[in-house]
Amino acid sequence: MHDERRRIEERVARLHDQRIKPAIYAARVPFEVAAWQAPGEPVPFEEAAAAPYAPFAMDTPWGPPWGTTWFRMRGEVPADWAGRRVESVIDLGFVGDWPGNQAEALVHLTDGTPLKAVNPLNQYVPVARPAAGGEVVEYLVEAASNPDILANEFTAPTPLGDVRTAGDRPLYTFRRADLAVLDEEVWHLDLDLQVLRELMRELGEHDPRRHEITHALDRAMDLLDLDDVAGSATVVREALKPVLAKPAHASAHILSGVGHAHIDSAWLWPIRETKRKTSRTFSNVTALADEYEEFVFACSQAQQYEWVRDHYPHVWERIKKSVAKGQWAPVGGMWVEADGNLPGGEALARQLVHGKRFFMDHFGIETKGVWLPDSFGYTAAYPQLARLAGNDWFLTQKISWNQTNTFPHHTFWWEGIDGTRIFTHFPPIDTYNARFSGEELSRAVRNYAEKGGATRSLAPFGWGDGGGGPTREIMERARRLKDLEGSAKVEIEHPDAFFAKARAEYPNAPVWVGELYLELHRATYTTQARTKQGNRRSEHLLREAELWATTAALHAPDYTYPYEKLDRLWKTVLLHQFHDILPGSSIAWVHREAEAEYARVAQELTALTGEAVAALGTGAPRVFNTSPRDRAEVVRTPEGAPVYVQVPANGSAPLVPAEPPQPVTVSGRCMQNGIVRVQVAEDGTLSSVYDLRSDREVLAGPGNLLRLHTDLPNYWDAWDIDKHYRNRYTDLLEPDSVTVVEQTPLVGAIRVVRTFGKGSRVTQTITVRAGSARIDIETDLDWHETEKILKAGFPVDVRAAHSSAEIQFGHVQRPTHTNTTWEAARFEVPGHRWVHIAEPGYGVALVNDSTYGHDVTRTVREDGGTTTTVGLSLVRAPRVPDPEADQGRHRFTYALLPGAGIEDAVAEGYALNLPLRVADSAGEPEPVVSAEGEGVTVEAVKLADDGSGDVVVRLYESRGGRASGVLRTGFPLAGAEITDLLERPLTTAETDGNAVPVQLRPFEVRTLRLAVSR
C-alpha cells in the first residue's frame, strides 16, 4: 500500500477546520444589545438592573482596564427553530490563547438569577432543548474587562497591574451576541474527529492502529457532502463508529479524570475579582453537572466557597445540591491553597483546621486529602500536619517544573521530618488544566514513572483562573476515551476513589524523605518583602493575642474571649498566605492591598492584646513574655530607658531591674559585654566578632557585607532567581558615616549609613546588649534599585557539613557541598526565623524577623580552614508583574548569634519575633502553661474553638531529638486529652495534679486539650 498519510491528514484537517467546525451552529439571529458602564468598582445586580442603558452595536470597543460593563440583551427564538437545540453564543472579543486572565462575564436572568458564565472557550448559554419557537430571551450580563497581563509574555513591565495606573482605554471589541441553533450531530462529528486526529498523531508511524485511523478518516471524508455538511454528518459518524468502538488494550494506563478549575485567589487580578471569577466558574460547573451525570468536580479553598456563599446565594444553593449528588467534591481541606514554604507552623495548622471545618459545617463532608497542585515547593512538615488533620493523601503537580532534576516518582510515600508518611501523587499529565487531548494522554503515559509497579494516575481537567472550568467538549472527549484502542483509558471519578485504588494497587510505593524542593521560583522567598513581613508579624501578633486573651479569660471574671474577632483575623492572614500573594508573585494591586490589610490586622491584634492585659487590672508596669522560653534581656520602659529584666515563658514579671551579668562597654568602634566583642570596621562591616566564652574568632571575613547583585532571571521575574546572579555584584563598602549612637551599661550601638545605586539609602544600627550573645542589626532601607537583589553575607569560621534552617515545627538540614545536581540546585533556599551552621563543638546562628530566602556556601582558605558563608536575601527589584515591587521603605532586623546550638537558635528566633511587651497591670497570674524539658516547645495557647472553655496547647519537639518533659498549668486542671489539629480527642493524656507528662519523638507535634476545674 502506498503511503498517503500526508495527503489524508491534510485533507482531514482542512475539511474539519474549514467546513465541519463552521457548521456546528446551523443558524443565528443577533440579540438587541444595550450597555451601561459601571463607575468604579463592581456593583450589585439590583443597582445594575436599575441603571440607564444605551444601545450598543457589535464590533464596538468596550471595557476600560478592570472595568465592569453591564449588557442588557433581548432576543426571540424564531418559530421555525421549534424542536431544535437553541443556545445563546456570546463573544466579548476574547484575545490570546489563554482562557483565563482576560474578559469574562456572568449571565443573569432579569430577576437576578445567575445562569452561567461566558468565557473564551465556553461561550454558550443554554436556552431550550428542544425549543418551542417564539421564546423571548432576556439577560443582564455582567462583563469584566480584566486586562491580559500575560500579553507581553512577562518580558516587559506593564502599568495594567493596578487600577490606579492602568488608564481607561477600552481593551476589547465586542464581536457577537446571538441566539443560535446547535446542530448536535455536527457538533458530535467535530468531537469524533478531534479525538481520532489527535490519537492518530500520537501513535508511532509503524503502529497499525495509526494507519487504521488514517484510512478510516479518509473513507469517512468521502461521505461528507460539502454542500450539506449537516445533512451528511450522520453518515460520516456512522463510518467512524467502528474505529471509535475498538477497546483499549488490557494493559492500557488508566487516567482518573476529575473536573478542576484552579482559580488563584489573587494573582494577575485582585481579590475582588477572584470573588467574581469563582461565581462565574461555579455557575458553569453546576450547569455542566446537570448535563453529565458521571461528572465529578474537585474544588479546594474554603475561602472561595465562603465568598460565593456570601455574595452569590443562588450559586451557593446549586453547589450544595451538586455536593449532595456526589458530583461536587470539596477537596484540599485548607482555607486557601497556601504557599508551601512560607507560612508558619501554626498558620499551616490553621489552614487545615479552618478549611476542614468549613466543609464539615456546610456539607457534612470531611475532606481526606491535601490538594495543592500549584505551590512553589512543599515543607517537610506537611506529612505530619496533614495526617494530624485527618488526611490520608497529598496531591501536587508543580515539582514537574524542576529546572534541573526530574523528580523520580509520581506515586510515592512522602516522609516528613518527624517520620510521618502520607500517600502522595504527582499527575504525570503535568497539568492541572487538562482537556484530554491526544498529546496530554500520550504525555501522561510516557512520563509515568511507576510503570511495572502501578497502572493509574490522576488527571485534573478544566480551564482555570477564570477560564470557566470543565466544558462539555472535555466531557465528550472523556466519553470517547473511556475505552479506546491506542489510548490510555479515562475514568471520571472522585479523587478519594483514585487514591484508594492507587494505594491498594501500590502499597509498597517508594519513599521520598524530606522537603519537596522546587528547583524554580526560588525568588518567591524574597520578592515583595513587605508582604512577607506583614505575614510574619501577623502570625506572631496572633500568637500574642491568643495567649493573653486566654490568660484574661482564666483570671479576669468580666473578660470575654474574642472568638469571632480572632477567627476573622486568622482567616484574613490565611487568605494572604495564598501561593501568589505571600510569595510576592502578584500584580501591584494585590500587594498594595495586602500591605494595607496587614496594617489593619496589626492594629486590631495589638488592641486585642492590650484589652486582654488591661482586663487583668491596672497597676505597676509589668513585662509580658509571649515566647516559649524564659528570658533575661534588656527591655525599654515606656520612656525609652533600657532595663535588664527576667521574665518567665508565656508569663509576666514586674518591670524591676535585675543585675546583668556584665555591663556593655564601647571603645571607638568596638563593643563588648563579657560574652562577645564586636569590632566595626571603617567600611561599616563587622571586622571581628569574638566569642569571649569560647575564646575564638567567629568571622572569617567581613561580616554583614551588603552585596548588590544584578538579578535578571531568564523568565518569571518576580518568581525566579537564577544562579548567574552570583557572577555580577557590587560590595557596599563606602559608608556615609559610622557613628556610636548609644553607650550605656546595658546597650551599645553603632550606626552605619550608606547611599548607593539609584538613590537607595540603608541605615543599619548594630547593637550589643548586656547579658546577650545576640548582635542585632536593625535595618532601615529606602530601596530604589531595579533588577537587583541585596544580600547580607556572614562568612563564618566553621567547617559546616550542612546548614539547618527552621521550618514549621522543626528544621531541615541541607548539605553545604554540591556533590550532586540535587545539591547544586539548592543554591537559594527557604528558612523561617533562623539558620544555623556548626562544626562539632561550635555553632553560629543567624536569626531574623522577616526574611526567608538565603544561601549557604563554603570555601577552603589558604590556611586550610573552611569558611561557611550564610547570605540573607533582603530585598529584590523585579519589574514583572509589579513594576514597583519592593520599591520604597523597609524596616527589619536580623542578628548574628555566636556560640549557638539549635536550642539557642530556637529561643532567640522566638525572642526576636516576639519582643517583650511592657504594660500596666495589677494582675500577677501564673503562666497559663509552662513547659519543662529540653526541646519541649509551646507553639500556641488558646481556648478551644467549641466555646467549652477548655484550654488548647500546641507544642512540639524543636531540637530534632527525643524529648521528655512536663507541661504545667497555671490553672486547676480537671483532665487532659491528646487531640488532632481540629481539637477532636485521640486519647486521654496522663495527668498528675496540674502537670501533664510529655514524651515526644523528634519534631513531633502534639495538641493537648486541657479541661479547667471550675
Side-chain angles (χ1 to χ4, degrees), residues 6 172 373 440 501 594 887:
R6 180 175 176 181
Y172 300 98
E440 287 175 342
K501 293 175 183 176
Q887 298 298 303

Side-chain angles (χ1 to χ4, degrees), residues 61-102:
W62 71 279
W66 306 114
T68 301
T69 305
W70 285 80
F71 294 99
R72 190 186 298 277
M73 299 182 182
R74 187 184 187 282
E76 183 175 337
V77 178
D80 60 357
W81 288 7
R84 312 290 293 278
R85 182 172 180 174
V86 178
E87 301 179 341
S88 303
V89 182
I90 301 170
D91 184 346
L92 301 171
F94 301 115
V95 299
D97 59 359
W98 186 32
N101 189 42
Q102 57 168 297

Side-chain angles (χ1 to χ4, degrees), residues 690-711:
Y690 200 84
D691 187 334
L692 297 170
R693 298 165 301 181
S694 300
D695 193 23
R696 64 181 285 171
E697 175 62 45
V698 175
L699 298 177
N704 192 38
L705 175 62
L706 296 181
R707 180 166 283 179
L708 187 66
H709 295 261
T710 297
D711 179 24

